[in-house]
Amino acid sequence: MQGQAPTPDGQVADAVTGNWVDIHAPAWSRPYLRLSRADRPIGTWLLLIPCWWGLALAMLDGQDARWGDLWIALGCAIGAFLMRGAGCTWNDITDREFDGRVERTRSRPIPSGQVSVRMAVVWMIAQALLALMILLTFNRMAIAMGVLSLLPVAVYPFAKRFTWWPQVFLGLAFNWGALLAWTAHSGSLGWGALFLYLAGIAWTLFYDTIYAHQDTEDDALIGVKSTARLFGAQTPRWMSYFLVATVSLMGIAVFEAALPDASILALVLALAGPWAMGWHMAWQLRGLDLDDNGKLLQLFRVNRDTGLIPLIFFVIALFA
């Protein structure tokens, strides 16, 4: 499908209707912003939220919130936008042949001919260098963690070629910010950060399995693996396991961060975060319809709210 004509005005099939890229961005920039998924902001949120989890629990762990943490929070937001863009560009470069053969992805900038592979590489490097400038404002340990994050980012696009569990590799990449932001605040890692990272991976398995079910038929035809294809009709049962794992691991992370220095009230408030998150995930399970792609995309997108729920409780706990 390489070189296929783009959809009208170059819009991507699964972009948010009326998004700012298609309406307000200069025409010359739209193919590149679409390549970065700027017209589909949910991915930036899913990359950013674990960063903010890690920062909030690191402050709870050390009982030492500082004004500099505001920059860490803002720097993570800018960095998430840039690195999500760079990662998506890398993903589209490596998947360009597959994307041209899948109904949902064939309108993306590279398979539709809007952006050449060479210019996509240039765009990827530019985004990564800007993100590096943000990273260099953090402490040395956080910089090292940021550099290490490139490994799972580089491997992820190839995972679906050799494993039925590519969502694990996505989780490794998308939740690395929990480790990075924790380290940016504290200068070192703790057990709380590691359990939080594992909780994020379980959450990624939950929401990205929903997302992958949109493409199961096309993926089967071209030989691409995913947890959606692996689980099939048993997906709801597996997702309930991921729900329990997410809540349990995040609860352990809260205990590790809050004890022994935080107050009992702070501990209870922070523990309410994963509990409330679990109820939101259970609500998604009740509305799951594996044969309705519109519903699948809708449920995938509401995971921004799912991830923000525990963050709200973590922040409140800081003031308890």
Side-chain angles (χ1 to χ4, degrees):
M1 290 291 182
Q2 188 75 16
Q4 175 183 323
T7 55
D9 300 320
Q11 296 175 23
V12 178
D14 57 353
V16 177
T17 303
N19 67 84
W20 71 275
V21 173
D22 291 339
I23 295 176
H24 300 296
W28 65 265
S29 69
R30 290 174 188 169
Y32 298 97
L33 292 171
R34 290 166 182 148
L35 194 58
S36 298
R37 311 287 202 276
D39 53 348
R40 286 152 286 169
I42 179 60
T44 299
W45 280 109
L46 296 176
L47 187 61
L48 172 59
I49 287 169
C51 299
W52 283 350
W53 289 349
L55 176 60
L57 285 189
M59 289 190 283
L60 186 64
D61 178 69
Q63 294 290 293
D64 60 344
R66 302 182 290 267
W67 285 110
D69 293 323
L70 291 175
W71 168 244
I72 295 175
L74 178 59
C76 285
I78 300 170
F81 178 81
L82 291 168
M83 283 308 297
R84 191 258 183 146
C88 287
T89 304
W90 170 241
N91 184 80
D92 283 9
I93 291 170
T94 59
D95 280 359
R96 59 190 184 276
E97 299 298 334
F98 287 144
D99 285 347
R101 297 158 62 189
V102 175
E103 180 65 30
R104 185 179 58 83
T105 60
R106 63 181 55 169
S107 58
R108 287 178 176 175
I110 295 178
S112 66
Q114 297 178 63
V115 177
S116 68
V117 174
R118 179 178 180 181
M119 289 307 298
V121 171
V122 172
W123 179 238
M124 176 185 68
I125 293 172
Q127 293 172 97
L129 289 176
L130 288 172
L132 177 62
M133 293 174 64
I134 301 294
L135 181 65
L136 292 176
T137 66
F138 296 163
N139 60 48
R140 291 183 179 180
M141 183 67 175
I143 293 171
M145 292 300 298
V147 173
L148 284 174
S149 72
L150 295 177
L151 181 59
V153 170
V155 172
Y156 165 66
F158 301 100
K160 57 183 168 289
R161 295 163 167 81
F162 62 81
T163 177
W164 288 100
W165 294 83
Q167 280 68 28
V168 171
F169 289 84
L170 181 68
L172 291 170
F174 256 58
N175 294 281
W176 196 272
L179 304 178
L180 192 155
W182 182 297
T183 305
H185 171 85
S186 65
S188 61
L189 284 175
W191 283 108
L194 295 175
F195 280 109
L196 187 64
Y197 181 52
L198 294 174
I201 293 171
W203 177 44
T204 302
L205 279 161
F206 182 92
Y207 67 67
D208 204 61
T209 297
I210 294 176
Y211 187 78
H213 263 284
Q214 297 175 92
D215 301 327
T216 50
E217 291 184 5
D218 286 330
D219 286 349
L221 288 173
I222 61 180
V224 169
K225 300 178 174 67
S226 71
T227 51
R229 288 190 61 207
L230 177 64
F231 302 154
Q234 298 300 313
T235 290
R237 178 168 62 88
W238 278 93
M239 289 178 65
S240 68
Y241 299 156
F242 300 144
L243 187 163
V244 172
T246 302
V247 174
S248 301
L249 290 165
M250 188 177 289
I252 295 172
V254 169
F255 272 110
E256 289 288 340
L259 299 177
D261 298 321
S263 68
I264 295 298
L265 178 58
L267 174 61
V268 171
L269 286 170
L271 283 173
W275 176 82
M277 181 181 183
W279 277 108
H280 197 269
M281 294 169 74
W283 168 79
Q284 291 183 56
L285 269 178
R286 287 196 296 273
L288 186 65
D289 183 348
L290 300 180
D291 298 317
D292 185 344
N293 281 1
K295 185 66 174 180
L296 291 170
L297 184 58
Q298 178 189 8
L299 289 176
F300 168 71
R301 287 174 174 166
V302 302
N303 275 276
R304 179 200 65 174
D305 299 337
T306 310
L308 288 174
I309 288 171
L311 178 66
I312 292 170
F313 284 94
F314 295 164
V315 172
I316 295 173
L318 292 174
F319 297 95

